[in-house]
Amino acid sequence: MSLELASTRAELDGLLARHGHARTAAAEGAPAPRTAVVMTMGALHDGHAALVRAARRHVGRAGFVVVTVFVNPLQFGANEDLDRYPRTLESDLRTAGAAGADAVFAPSADEVYPGGAPQVRISAGPMGERLEGAVRPGHFDGMLTVVAKLLHLTRPDIAFYGQKDAQQLALIRRMARDLNFPVEIVGVPTVREDDGLALSSRNRYLSAAERRTALTLSRALFAASDRLGAQNALRARAESAPTSTTRAAALSALGEARAAADSHAVANAASGTPRTGACGAHAVRSAARVVLDQAVRDSASFTLDYLALVDPADFTEVPDDHTGEAILAVAARVGRTRLIDNIPLTFGASQ
């Protein structure tokens, strides 16, 4: 099946109606094929293609995959890059088709908001006022409003969003749950360049020097992840082979400083009384902060907006003794370009 393009609601309805007839026919003797949607603002890259491929895998060859391409003015604030945001529809169609999409819905602003900016909008609530919402007031209200409209227009069984926009994904899941949208929301892991930079349509704004500086975000996240991995490995070692403080003291008396330090660390991990700041959320934040603070000192083009270690359920900061899932999120400006990134972490993984 060749890729089809719809730019009006009527054209989209026609595509969905044809697929609906196929669903009805299939339902007589087999499971009805499902419809999936991937929502984008265009300027598609490999990260978007990964979403489309995930959608295709989930619905199978008989399913229907719709990609929406719409630069939503409601989620851009004053002095943001609405006019500058790249519009590359011809390239987007090629990328979507190659990744397995059946149709692209690329409406105009007048088609999505025929009476102008809508008077009734979705409110993101308290979670929408944190982190990205604090830096970009009203952003998430505009995002949820257009997501709600596009879910109604495309009528999918399942919708795919990138983990890179973790707060957005959490809010869409909450909206679908709170407002009883009959759709399954699926998150897809962040796709990165070989050097670790998270793929983003805004990366094309970066100069060569700025791109090198932008790597600070992923380096900070990976440093934090490595620190947590080392902590979890130490805890696992302590649980499998506890080392007493007596042995550590004896090694110290013999002048075996490195062995003594290692034994002290294992003994502390085994007893559950590590030194203050030596483990847990505090250490993870600190490991990332070291990388970010160095970038602030080294580059005048780098401005940190926030670093936060949050609960995925509501994006509130987790305490230092947190166990379970968390998201380490970072946002910064590199020159005129604002970038975000995050990484999921699990505390107490060895327990």
Side-chain angles (χ1 to χ4, degrees):
M1 178 178 177
S2 60
L3 184 74
E4 298 188 80
L5 173 64
S7 57
T8 68
R9 179 174 180 174
E11 291 170 348
L12 177 64
D13 285 344
L15 293 178
L16 293 173
R18 289 200 297 275
H19 177 60
H21 292 318
R23 286 168 62 101
T24 301
E28 296 176 357
R34 298 196 296 170
T35 297
V37 67
V38 175
M39 297 183 187
T40 82
M41 291 205 300
L44 302 190
H45 49 62
D46 286 346
H48 297 111
L51 294 173
V52 178
R53 289 192 293 268
R56 173 54 65 199
R57 286 194 301 271
H58 274 71
V59 303
R61 293 182 62 184
F64 193 70
V65 177
V66 181
V67 174
T68 67
V69 174
F70 179 63
V71 181
N72 177 34
L74 294 191
Q75 64 194 71
F76 288 79
N79 302 317
E80 290 192 334
D81 58 347
L82 173 61
D83 294 333
R84 184 179 173 223
Y85 199 87
R87 275 82 165 172
T88 58
L89 183 58
E90 290 301 318
S91 174
D92 293 344
L93 294 174
R94 291 192 295 270
T95 299
D102 295 299
V104 168
F105 179 46
S108 66
D110 288 339
E111 186 70 24
V112 176
Y113 305 119
Q119 295 185 32
V120 176
R121 307 186 187 194
I122 301 289
S123 170
M127 190 182 357
E129 298 172 357
R130 299 172 187 137
L131 299 189
E132 284 298 291
V135 177
R136 306 176 66 189
H139 165 71
F140 286 126
D141 291 357
M143 179 276 295
L144 289 178
T145 298
V146 79
V147 167
K149 286 181 71 78
L150 290 173
L151 286 175
H152 287 311
L153 290 171
T154 59
R155 304 189 290 280
D157 301 291
I158 185 168
F160 293 79
Y161 302 90
Q163 178 64 37
K164 176 179 169 290
D165 296 294
Q167 192 173 5
Q168 169 180 284
L169 173 59
L171 281 162
I172 292 170
R173 281 177 166 150
R174 188 63 188 245
M175 178 184 74
R177 181 169 66 250
D178 287 356
L179 301 184
N180 299 108
F181 277 76
V183 61
E184 178 185 354
I185 306 298
V186 175
V188 177
T190 301
V191 178
R192 299 183 180 276
E193 301 277 7
D194 291 341
D195 57 10
L197 185 67
L199 288 178
S200 170
S201 299
R202 291 183 168 94
N203 289 351
R204 67 186 65 199
Y205 300 154
L206 300 169
S207 68
E210 288 173 340
R211 195 185 185 288
R212 290 191 293 271
T213 300
L215 291 173
T216 299
L217 276 71
S218 56
R219 282 202 304 267
L221 297 177
F222 296 152
S225 179
D226 289 346
R227 182 68 178 273
L228 180 59
Q231 293 172 181
N232 288 338
L234 180 61
R235 186 179 296 109
R237 182 180 165 196
E239 290 172 352
S240 63
T243 302
S244 70
T245 54
T246 302
R247 179 186 176 204
L251 286 166
S252 181
L254 292 171
E256 297 289 344
R258 291 183 63 184
D262 180 68
S263 292
H264 272 298
V266 174
N268 284 333
S271 67
T273 56
R275 296 185 308 277
T276 300
C279 73
H282 177 83
V284 166
R285 291 185 183 99
S286 296
R289 177 67 67 175
V290 167
V291 177
L292 296 167
D293 287 349
Q294 187 63 51
V296 170
R297 290 191 294 270
D298 290 347
S299 175
S301 69
F302 185 85
T303 305
L304 180 65
D305 275 352
Y306 61 75
L307 171 71
L309 184 62
V310 298
D311 186 326
D314 59 10
F315 273 67
T316 56
E317 285 278 353
V318 302
D320 285 348
D321 61 353
H322 178 73
T323 59
E325 303 300 316
I327 291 174
L328 184 64
V330 62
R333 294 185 183 276
V334 181
R336 294 177 57 200
T337 303
R338 188 169 183 277
L339 301 173
I340 63 172
D341 202 352
N342 71 84
I343 191 169
L345 300 171
T346 304
F347 290 82
S350 65
Q351 296 177 349

